């Protein structure tokens, strides 16, 4: 199994644990860290809607907690044609991954499109260039 296959499997499994009673839209994400670790995340919604957390954001928090701070590759899984990360998550991904990092967008059957972080967030903000 390739690392991307492993990422897809981890993201799909994470999606099963999503807490999405308000949107009924479950999302799973998995990060491959530069250290070779696979870190999953799922969306966790809240009755106060803006307090919900996206799958990508949850995975990033878990990655940092695990002691890693660099993203090498990402898979996002949803039961949708193309569940690309929201604007806030694009900025969060940029914080921990260089522009050429691949973000694979999958449905339940497999990867459907691949973008780089730079493609998802052109001219994105960085404090220090
Ligand atoms: N969501 C994610 O977790 N990741 C994405 O890439 C897009 C959207 C979540 C947020 C919310 O819980 C639900 O999907 C519907 O927007």
């Amino acid at each position: 199994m390739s690392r991307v296959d492993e990422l897809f499997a981890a993201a799909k499994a994470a999606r099963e644990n999503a807490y999405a009673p308000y949107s009924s839209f479950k999302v799973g994400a998995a990060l491959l860290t530069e250290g070779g670790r696979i870190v999953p995340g799922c969306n966790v919604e809240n009755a106060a809607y803006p307090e919900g957390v996206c799958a990508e954001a949850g995975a990033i928090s878990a990655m940092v907690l695990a002691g890693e701070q660099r993203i090498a590759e990402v898979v996002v899984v949803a039961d949708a044609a193309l569940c690309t990360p929201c604007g806030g998550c694009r900025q969060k991904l940029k914080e921990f991954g260089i522009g050429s990092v691949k973000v694979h967008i999958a449905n339940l059957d497999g990867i459907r499109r691949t973008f780089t972080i730079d493609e998802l967030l052109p001219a994105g903000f960085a404090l220090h260039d």
Side-chain angles (χ1 to χ4, degrees), residues 20 23 25 27 42-45 53-56 76 83-86 89:
S23 71
F25 189 76
V27 185
C42 62
N43 57 330
V44 180
E45 297 185 345
V53 177
C54 290
E56 297 90 329
V76 180
C83 178
T84 48
C86 75
C89 284

Side-chain angles (χ1 to χ4, degrees), residues 13-69:
R15 179 185 167 278
E16 291 298 317
N17 287 342
Y19 176 74
Y22 305 105
S23 71
S24 297
F25 189 76
K26 293 184 166 197
V27 185
L31 312 174
L32 177 64
T33 69
E34 285 190 358
R37 193 190 305 248
I38 288 180
V39 185
C42 62
N43 57 330
V44 180
E45 297 185 345
N46 193 281
Y49 292 177
E51 298 304 324
V53 177
C54 290
E56 297 90 329
I60 287 170
S61 293
M63 174 189 76
V64 173
L65 175 64
E68 301 231 23
Q69 299 188 351

